[in-house]
Amino acid sequence: DMFCYRRFGHNEGDEPMFTQPVMYTKIKGHASTREIYAERLVKEGILTAEQVEQQVVDFEAYLDREFEAGKTFEAKKADWLDGEWKGLGLPDDDERRGKTGVA
């Protein structure tokens, strides 16, 4: 069995402690998946604790740089349909509405 949850609620406007206080109190005290995985990597001798911490620092710095770069980014074109999605377009005629009637 698998039990999934959103560690910080459904979205940034949600406070799960209002609706699920017992569950989210337990979740708050539980290690994050990153912490659990890092502990395993150290335990298995794949990385040292210092290497794990350096990766966290490096990744947070990367996120900060990209966040700052995003403030001045201006898209030159809508390129989200390039690559695998190239050639994808809208249906012809009235097919966008689909057929919802009962035959």
Side-chain angles (χ1 to χ4, degrees):
D1 292 336
M2 185 188 319
F3 182 76
C4 299
Y5 62 91
R6 293 178 186 221
R7 187 171 187 87
F8 300 108
H10 184 68
N11 59 47
E12 57 276 347
D14 180 31
E15 176 45 75
M17 289 295 287
F18 292 146
T19 56
Q20 299 290 332
V22 174
M23 182 171 72
Y24 275 87
T25 297
K26 288 185 179 188
I27 289 170
K28 189 175 184 178
H30 194 276
S32 71
T33 53
R34 183 191 58 78
E35 292 166 334
I36 294 168
Y37 188 55
E39 184 178 304
R40 180 175 173 182
L41 291 173
V42 171
K43 182 179 175 185
E44 293 179 4
I46 296 170
L47 292 174
T48 65
E50 293 77 22
Q51 289 171 314
V52 168
E53 184 56 33
Q54 188 58 54
Q55 286 190 2
V56 170
V57 168
D58 291 348
F59 188 66
E60 288 176 351
Y62 164 76
L63 292 175
D64 288 339
R65 285 191 309 273
E66 293 300 312
F67 178 75
E68 290 303 317
K71 291 179 179 179
T72 58
F73 175 78
E74 290 185 35
K76 304 290 188 239
K77 66 174 188 156
D79 59 359
W80 55 85
L81 291 179
D82 285 351
E84 294 292 322
W85 296 97
K86 194 172 190 134
L88 181 68
L90 296 174
D92 295 328
D93 303 324
D94 200 28
E95 290 296 313
R96 287 179 71 178
R97 293 181 50 83
K99 294 179 179 31
T100 60
V102 177

